[in-house]
Amino acid sequence: DMANQVLMLYDADEDWLHLQRTPVHEFRFRLKAGLPVIKAKVGKKRLSIGVDVGGSRNLMSEEMLTVFSAAHLGERSRKWMRGLNQEEAYMTIAPVCGLQLDRSAFERVTFVFGDLGRADSFGIQGLLGLPFLGKYRFSINYKTKRIYLWPHAAEANYRRI
């Protein structure tokens, strides 16, 4: 629960959060090198997007700037930033329009386009970090290989857990 800065670990068979409210999004994932990876699509381009719960940015491979059509990229800007390789460089920042994660569609998700480091060698084209995940209360169930997202609206009663 990013809004309340609460991290909880619980048994995969406990579904107390699901009983309080139905998730607004549910993604299936597979593990690649310990990272949850979701099948995604932008236009007709199929992607693999990793979920990085500690990532301070949503990252996308710089190559995708030439792959996505103009209709799927919003206004671009460039900023001097430190990349995953810890080197500083100008990086492109742009919203990706029409991102589909598993069976859920998202109108605009902003990404920093650059080098994905090791993730690129696993066939991953992007990483979702806290700018995306922090908009929701989320749960990752490694047993069922599902990620669930809830709105922050009605806060969970943690004292009853």
Side-chain angles (χ1 to χ4, degrees):
D1 184 349
M2 299 304 296
N4 292 309
Q5 296 183 350
V6 174
L7 171 67
M8 297 185 321
L9 301 174
Y10 58 93
D11 191 300
D13 295 326
E14 293 181 32
D15 59 355
W16 65 270
L17 195 53
H18 294 266
L19 295 174
Q20 290 188 7
R21 179 173 236 177
T22 303
V24 291
H25 300 288
E26 176 182 337
F27 312 128
R28 296 167 294 179
F29 70 86
R30 63 189 187 288
L31 286 174
K32 281 193 174 181
L35 185 71
V37 176
I38 303 168
K39 288 183 182 179
K41 209 163 116 176
V42 174
K44 294 182 180 181
K45 176 66 178 166
R46 295 186 187 279
L47 309 166
S48 292
I49 304 287
V51 177
D52 182 3
V53 297
S56 61
R57 298 181 184 106
N58 298 322
L59 299 172
M60 185 71 69
S61 171
E62 194 167 28
E63 174 190 337
M64 295 300 114
L65 286 169
T66 60
V67 172
F68 296 154
S69 72
H72 292 106
L73 284 173
E75 186 175 334
R76 301 176 194 192
S77 64
R78 294 193 41 88
K79 187 175 179 182
W80 189 253
M81 305 173 88
R82 186 179 310 272
L84 284 179
N85 61 4
Q86 298 305 309
E87 292 180 16
E88 292 187 352
Y90 277 105
M91 295 189 181
T92 301
I93 302 166
V96 173
C97 305
L99 174 66
Q100 185 174 336
L101 298 171
D102 198 10
R103 295 170 290 206
S104 295
F106 295 86
E107 193 172 315
R108 285 172 71 91
V109 179
T110 299
F111 286 89
V112 174
F113 289 81
D115 181 9
L116 295 181
R118 282 185 16 155
D120 195 29
S121 65
F122 301 125
I124 295 171
Q125 291 81 29
L127 294 167
L128 288 172
L130 292 178
F132 176 81
L133 295 171
K135 294 178 182 178
Y136 302 94
R137 176 179 296 132
F138 66 92
S139 168
I140 301 175
N141 187 322
Y142 286 89
K143 183 176 180 181
T144 63
K145 292 194 172 50
R146 297 279 193 273
I147 297 173
Y148 303 97
L149 304 178
W150 292 268
H152 281 294
E155 297 307 323
N157 184 351
Y158 298 112
R159 293 174 190 215
R160 292 180 37 203
I161 299 170

